[in-house]
Amino acid sequence: MPSAPFITLNQFIVDRQADFPYASGEFSRLLYYLAVAAKIVNRKVNKAGLADIIGEAGSTNVQGEEQKKLDVFANDQFIAACRNSGECCGVASEENQEVITFETELAQRGNYVVLMDPLDGSSNIDVNVSIGTIFSIYRRLSPRGEMAQPGDFLQPGRKQCGAGYVLYGSSTMLVYTTGRGVYGFTLDPSIGEFCLSHSLITTPTEGKIYSVNEGNIGQFSPGVRSYIAYCQTNDKETDRPYSGRYIGSLVADFHRNLMKGGIYMYPPTAKAPNGKLRLLYECNPMAFLAEQAGGLATDGRMSVLDIVPETVHQRTPLFIGSASMVRRVMDMMAQEE
Ligand code: AHG
Ligand code: MN
Ligand code: MN
């Protein structure tokens, strides 16, 4: 029997043009450019042990963290993709203190801004563990044809018109949403194309996996500790204890839980009272995907997508994944307050 024909990402974008925001082809073109950058980064990631790409770049980023060579490489590739697409007037990146507003006339005509974590899971690069790229796309508020303005980057997550991630894992996947469901594409390296592999992804309402850096448990609030104790309690009826799974790459942890059902938590700690993860380019895009797949994302009090951002690199606590698990941890936190 002949196998079903591949639907490539590019073909899918063309076929589903009407599903894209404003359906003008501009957004599609931006996504196409991001996918090309993802393939270039993927090529580097796959050769990481051979190419001179492992290790520190010798610089620190905005968070004061050591930049890896691959952080810098991925950042450069995705910024170039945004600039060259002609559809993007500016980029905010984890690796750049200030937002980048493009100066070319071509880029300034672009209708979109991109916010991104070009390489997520940096601590896993050198040890051959899954890493990712996260991106979030907004329509600009400032007039087209001019420089992007700070307000273009500081919109609540609810206003995203697209978001997604690339997972450089046992296979490479690009997963995205434009607000009409979540679609996943797997890179076929033999033809160099992302091919549709997961249509309309939905996440189970209840899962059996909890993901949290338990090394920090002594710094968590009583409510979070109660929820972790709940996950670990024996109970036949609800199939507990749950499994603890924590890779330390948000993209990989999120993707596994999305597919299987589960909850990922990065609660406030004594060291990081607002949590560690960044609202605009880690939490918002994942929250958009989670809600589109039927899950939830909260900072403990409100939906992540409703937070009004004040600064580009601001952090937020994150509880994300299967809806009933997220509701339970919220209830337990509320009870302990
Ligand atoms: P990045 O590599 O982009 O700095 O992000 C790392 C993030 C996230 O991917 C991960 O879930 C989390 O940091 C892990 O933090 P801990 O090591 O504190 O658990
Ligand atoms: Mn990250
Ligand atoms: Mn990063």
Side-chain angles (χ1 to χ4, degrees):
M1 217 172 61
S3 57
F6 284 145
I7 301 174
T8 65
L9 174 63
N10 297 342
Q11 187 59 44
F12 186 82
I13 292 172
V14 172
D15 290 351
R16 303 297 290 265
Q17 185 63 55
D19 282 5
F20 285 96
Y22 319 109
S24 60
E26 295 172 339
F27 184 91
S28 315
R29 199 175 142 83
L30 176 56
L31 196 57
Y32 167 81
Y33 270 77
L34 292 174
V36 173
K39 288 190 242 183
I40 295 170
V41 171
N42 177 66
R43 191 176 59 194
K44 214 43 149 194
V45 168
N46 272 282
K47 288 195 294 196
L50 299 169
D52 181 28
I53 196 71
I54 279 184
E56 316 298 328
S59 44
T60 50
N61 71 4
V62 52
Q63 336 283 342
E65 298 159 345
E66 289 277 336
Q67 281 181 311
K68 301 278 186 181
K69 286 180 193 160
L70 211 51
D71 284 323
V72 176
F73 180 83
N75 196 37
D76 291 348
Q77 289 301 326
F78 281 100
I79 291 171
C82 289
R83 182 191 289 114
N84 297 337
S85 72
E87 311 298 350
C88 173
C89 58
V91 171
S93 164
E94 181 188 20
E95 303 304 329
N96 296 86
Q97 173 77 56
E98 305 294 335
V99 297
I100 298 161
T101 49
F102 296 134
E103 290 184 358
T104 61
E105 207 181 303
L106 175 77
Q108 287 183 9
R109 282 204 298 266
N111 206 11
Y112 298 98
V113 290
V114 173
L115 294 82
M116 64 171 180
D117 178 354
L119 214 293
D120 173 66
S122 299
S123 69
N124 285 323
I125 297 172
D126 294 358
V127 288
N128 208 354
V129 175
S130 298
I131 50 182
T133 296
I134 310 173
F135 59 89
S136 165
I137 304 172
Y138 294 84
R139 223 174 163 214
R140 71 187 298 176
L141 300 172
S142 57
R144 297 182 76 161
E146 297 178 11
M147 289 277 261
Q149 294 299 316
D152 296 331
F153 300 91
L154 294 174
Q155 305 185 52
R158 210 48 87 190
K159 296 268 182 200
Q160 287 171 103
C161 52
Y165 58 81
V166 184
L167 170 58
Y168 313 98
S170 47
S171 61
T172 297
M173 282 192 76
L174 189 151
V175 177
Y176 80 86
T177 185
T178 58
R180 296 193 176 205
V182 180
Y183 292 90
F185 297 79
T186 302
L187 182 65
D188 180 338
S190 65
I191 58 170
E193 296 275 8
F194 282 107
C195 299
L196 181 64
S197 52
H198 298 68
S199 226
L200 284 174
I201 297 172
T202 54
T203 196
T205 318
E206 183 79 70
K208 310 252 178 294
I209 295 172
Y210 74 103
S211 311
V212 64
N213 185 341
E214 260 180 276
N216 293 329
I217 196 159
Q219 299 180 46
F220 294 156
S221 68
V224 174
R225 287 213 293 269
S226 301
Y227 181 71
I228 293 173
Y230 170 87
C231 294
Q232 296 171 339
T233 303
N234 284 313
D235 180 53
K236 259 211 175 105
E237 216 164 283
T238 51
D239 213 1
R240 283 177 289 144
Y242 297 153
S243 289
R245 292 282 186 276
Y246 190 72
I247 295 168
S249 295
L250 173 63
V251 172
D253 281 308
F254 176 85
H255 181 74
R256 181 203 51 241
N257 292 359
L258 178 72
M259 304 311 293
K260 292 190 165 187
I263 184 167
Y264 175 99
M265 300 181 275
Y266 211 109
T269 63
K271 212 171 93 187
N274 294 320
K276 175 186 181 190
L277 300 175
R278 295 70 160 188
L279 172 63
L280 290 181
Y281 43 82
E282 290 183 316
C283 301
N284 269 340
M286 292 315 202
F288 191 18
L289 289 157
E291 287 200 5
Q292 281 292 312
L296 286 175
T298 169
D299 67 355
R301 292 195 168 83
M302 64 193 285
S303 170
V304 166
L305 295 177
D306 291 325
I307 300 173
V308 179
E310 285 168 12
T311 58
V312 169
H313 298 290
Q314 89 185 53
R315 298 171 195 263
T316 176
L318 179 67
F319 303 85
I320 190 168
S322 293
S324 52
M325 300 176 90
V326 174
R327 282 200 195 97
R328 186 177 296 274
V329 72
M330 283 181 80
D331 286 349
M332 288 185 155
M333 286 189 288
Q335 271 168 32
E336 300 271 359
E337 251 180 30

